[in-house]
Amino acid sequence: MPVIEVENLVKTYNGVRAVDGVSFTVEEGEIFGIVGPNGAGKTTTVESVEGLRHPDQGVIRVLGLDPIRDRYELTERVGAQLQESRLQDKIEVGEVLDLYASFYRNPADWRGLVDRLGLGGKVDARYGDLSGGQKQRLSVALALVGSPEIAVLDELTTGLDPQARRSTWDTIEQIRDDGVTVVLVTHFMEEAERLCDRIMVVDHGRVVAIDTASALMDRLGSEQRLRFRPSAPVADADLLGLPEVVAVDHRGPQVVVTGSGNVVQAVTALLTKHEVVAEDLRIEQRSLEEAYLALTDTPEATNEGEER
Amino acid sequence: MAATMKLTRAESRLFLRDPIALFFGLVFPGLLLLALGLFFPGFDEQTADLAGKRYIDVYSPMALALGLATLGLVTLPPILGTYRQFGILRRLRTTPVHPARLLLAQLWVHGAVAVIAAAIAVIVAVTAFDVPFPERPVWFVLAFVLAAASVFAIGLLVGARARTTVSGQAIGMAIYFPMLFFAGMWIPRTIMPDGLRTVSDLTPLGSAVQAIEDAWFGATPSATNLLVMLAYTVVVGFVAVRVFRWE
């Protein structure tokens, strides 16, 4: 059963269509990822779902509610973590959780929440003294303190070191295990691949694809790439003669063979026949990152988090 | 209502954790009177400079007005700028509590600090320098409340649009010093040329100083002074609410 339904969402800023006809549904209990280049309209989309922005066109239903008209009820049932939002430097972790818990009619037990999020020892710490990862986890805690049915998390792990990022991922999986539907805006493909049941790719305000990570990767075909250093020279023509091989490339002493099907077996068999050993053999599969880059027309994934 | 109280408690704690705001907002008016009285020769003697009044009598109401201006124009706007810059107001919009409650909490906190600061200044004036206890207490309180309301309305207007801490500070200061000048901080109203005093009467702080001084020394504050403060409160307050930006 869908808990979020968005139909033909349009939002224009200064004559530019930041969101240009986006439609999608989010099912109860899933982790739904939204990925796309900066300025693709990700944040505008989720902030419209949260009722923070008034769309120019389109219909949004969240738990059957209209985010603008049923604002109050929505805030009770949807928890939000906003991009680039901070708290007062001198407020203590326990104080802010206690304060935010008091806003909701069915608050979660915030002490249990901080323990689970690994902030148990930080209840008396001031916000300004927390590390980046701790601030983000507090932000997740605040999004959950009202016992929401849906949590919308916008660029949760931007600016975190890899270790903090991974522990935040564990947190998100825990949230889902508790039955909360999660909408996750990210630009880390690794994060989307690891966490999301389905991923929506947006670019220039439009939906490019909505699918599982593996289905998105399959769209690229089942190409594989072998990279090795031959112990003796191998003629390109011999390799290209194999029906499985599509391309042969040289990177210094390394040979890079791209192909499909049983390309790995075919190439190793050929090498054995020629009594050549493939040293440092590595087999690379197409990643979600490549699928993403193929779907969007960005030259490469960026790491900055600015978006309107 | 419960949310406003919780927010007011939280914001009070934050105010108490800010030593600079605490010093200038809470103790500075009283401390200034004490320092002037102790170190400025003849400060508590009648003088021809002020047409027979004592400096301390003129500066006691001024100290109260100074405290209000500091809270309303120096402390309040940067806080609102910070809350907008950090996205705290925006964050509140995603909860069942409207961010207007946070503004209300700030006004309560600043109002409470203003009252305590004024009480300290009055106690200093009365106990250390033989200034009489305010002789028309009801008028005195009314004048003070209107003064606070008009100055806070201006601070709220500055804070309504300030995008950052720094812009809140800059705009607040740009209003603070001229207001203090027209209120008689450097040229007491008693010896202001007529033209300047007329301008002073038209500023909320100038009217505040006069109304508070009148009530303190036994006179009924003039309707003009009270109406000027009321007008600023209503008009500026209305504009502030209308133009307020949550993000």
Side-chain angles (χ1 to χ4, degrees):
Chain A
M1 202 193 85
V3 287
I4 299 176
E5 293 166 276
V6 174
E7 230 183 279
N8 196 27
L9 179 68
V10 175
K11 180 72 185 177
T12 306
Y13 294 113
N14 306 323
V16 181
R17 286 197 160 198
V19 176
D20 192 4
V22 165
S23 302
F24 63 96
T25 58
V26 177
E27 299 295 322
E28 186 174 356
E30 74 174 333
I31 300 182
F32 185 83
I34 301 180
V35 303
N38 293 334
K42 306 186 293 284
T43 293
T44 304
T45 301
V46 292
E47 290 189 349
S48 301
V49 167
E50 289 162 341
L52 286 176
R53 290 172 195 266
H54 293 238
D56 299 331
Q57 281 175 47
V59 180
I60 304 178
R61 283 287 174 276
V62 181
L63 300 163
L65 304 168
D66 178 329
I68 303 294
R69 215 183 46 225
D70 309 319
R71 223 190 121 67
Y72 178 81
E73 187 61 20
L74 187 89
T75 57
E76 283 278 5
R77 296 168 68 183
V78 177
Q81 187 261 331
L82 301 180
Q83 194 187 124
E84 288 172 9
S85 123
R86 298 183 52 189
L87 295 167
Q88 298 94 322
D89 280 336
K90 291 185 178 173
I91 203 159
E92 290 174 8
V93 170
E95 287 171 357
V96 71
L97 281 162
D98 191 48
L99 179 67
Y100 274 63
S102 75
F103 296 164
Y104 295 91
R105 64 181 172 226
N106 301 316
D109 163 33
W110 64 262
R111 289 180 186 279
L113 212 51
V114 287
D115 285 341
R116 268 183 39 205
L117 293 172
L119 288 170
K122 289 284 170 188
V123 169
D124 298 326
R126 290 184 179 186
Y127 181 78
D129 296 331
L130 299 179
S131 71
Q134 289 164 343
K135 282 178 181 164
Q136 290 297 54
R137 273 178 280 154
L138 176 57
S139 173
V140 176
L142 288 177
L144 297 177
V145 79
S147 312
E149 291 156 63
I150 301 173
V152 181
L153 310 173
D154 193 354
E155 299 214 345
L156 191 59
T157 59
T158 300
L160 297 189
D161 59 52
Q163 203 186 339
R165 184 170 299 146
R166 277 185 172 70
S167 75
T168 310
W169 292 350
D170 294 339
T171 306
I172 295 168
E173 283 176 333
Q174 280 177 28
I175 297 170
R176 192 255 304 271
D177 292 344
D178 290 348
V180 178
T181 305
V182 178
V183 176
L184 185 71
V185 175
T186 183
H187 52 224
F188 293 110
M189 289 312 125
E190 197 191 347
E191 183 167 299
E193 190 175 346
R194 153 91 189 262
L195 291 174
C196 299
D197 298 303
R198 289 189 305 140
I199 297 166
M200 173 166 85
V201 183
V202 288
D203 194 15
H204 297 298
R206 291 171 182 272
V207 177
V208 181
I210 303 181
D211 224 324
T212 62
S214 57
L216 288 175
M217 288 185 279
D218 283 349
R219 291 194 186 192
L220 286 175
S222 52
E223 272 189 1
Q224 286 188 326
R225 206 183 287 152
L226 283 83
R227 202 184 265 270
F228 59 91
R229 192 154 44 83
S231 58
V234 189
D236 285 2
D238 289 343
L239 289 166
L240 285 167
L242 296 167
E244 292 88 350
V245 172
V246 177
V248 178
D249 218 349
H250 295 271
R251 303 266 160 82
Q254 288 200 320
V255 179
V256 182
V257 180
T258 313
S260 57
N262 284 328
V263 64
V264 180
Q265 269 183 337
V267 170
T268 43
L270 180 86
L271 293 177
T272 312
K273 210 172 77 186
H274 289 251
E275 296 184 337
V276 173
V277 177
E279 287 164 355
D280 296 340
L281 174 66
R282 281 194 291 141
I283 300 162
E284 295 167 0
Q285 254 167 347
R286 283 298 178 83
S287 65
L288 183 62
E289 185 98 26
E290 286 176 82
Y292 165 75
L293 293 176
L295 286 166
T296 58
D297 55 7
T298 35
E300 60 187 50
T302 48
N303 277 334
E304 285 303 311
E306 197 84 29
E307 180 184 333
R308 278 285 149 219
Chain B
M1 212 53 226
T4 309
M5 274 187 37
K6 278 266 194 179
L7 279 165
T8 308
R9 268 210 347 240
E11 295 302 322
S12 313
R13 281 201 210 100
L14 292 176
F15 196 96
L16 293 173
R17 284 174 200 163
D18 183 349
I20 295 174
L22 210 55
F23 176 77
F24 283 101
L26 196 66
V27 298
F28 188 65
L31 205 64
L32 180 74
L33 276 187
L34 197 62
L36 287 174
L38 292 178
F39 302 119
F40 198 93
F43 206 73
D44 55 352
E45 288 160 22
Q46 293 183 336
T47 168
D49 291 355
L50 295 173
K53 290 182 184 172
R54 301 186 305 164
Y55 273 103
I56 189 73
D57 296 336
V58 170
Y59 273 92
S60 293
M62 189 65 226
L64 265 54
L66 171 73
L68 288 176
T70 305
L71 286 167
L73 298 171
V74 181
T75 316
L76 185 61
I79 291 179
L80 301 183
T82 306
Y83 285 7
R84 187 171 295 105
Q85 184 183 7
F86 283 10
I88 291 171
L89 297 170
R90 202 149 189 276
R91 181 69 187 76
L92 266 187
R93 282 183 62 202
T94 69
T95 74
V97 168
H98 194 273
R101 301 286 187 95
L102 186 62
L103 299 190
L104 215 57
Q106 278 301 338
L107 291 176
W108 280 120
V109 172
H110 279 77
V113 176
V115 168
I116 300 169
I120 295 173
V122 169
I123 291 168
V124 167
V126 172
T127 57
F129 304 111
D130 284 335
V131 176
F133 189 80
E135 289 172 359
R136 306 289 296 272
V138 175
W139 285 114
F140 181 84
V141 169
L142 180 73
F144 183 78
V145 168
L146 275 175
S150 59
V151 173
F152 287 0
I154 294 173
L156 197 61
L157 178 59
V158 176
R161 285 303 188 99
R163 287 175 189 280
T164 62
T165 318
V166 174
S167 66
Q169 260 161 1
I171 305 168
M173 286 291 190
I175 301 174
Y176 180 68
F177 287 108
M179 286 241 304
L180 286 179
F181 171 78
F182 286 115
M185 185 75 192
W186 295 281
I187 307 167
R189 282 174 50 88
T190 317
I191 52 170
M192 271 185 190
D194 285 346
L196 185 56
R197 191 160 49 236
T198 306
V199 177
S200 170
D201 278 329
L202 293 175
T203 69
L205 215 56
S207 275
V209 168
Q210 190 60 55
I212 292 172
E213 186 182 322
D214 287 343
W216 200 325
F217 296 97
T220 305
S222 85
T224 314
N225 291 143
L226 296 177
L227 285 174
V228 164
M229 291 190 282
L230 185 66
Y232 274 98
T233 306
V234 173
V235 175
V236 178
F238 178 76
V239 175
V241 169
R242 287 302 297 268
V243 304
F244 201 91
R245 288 239 173 112
W246 299 112
E247 51 188 82

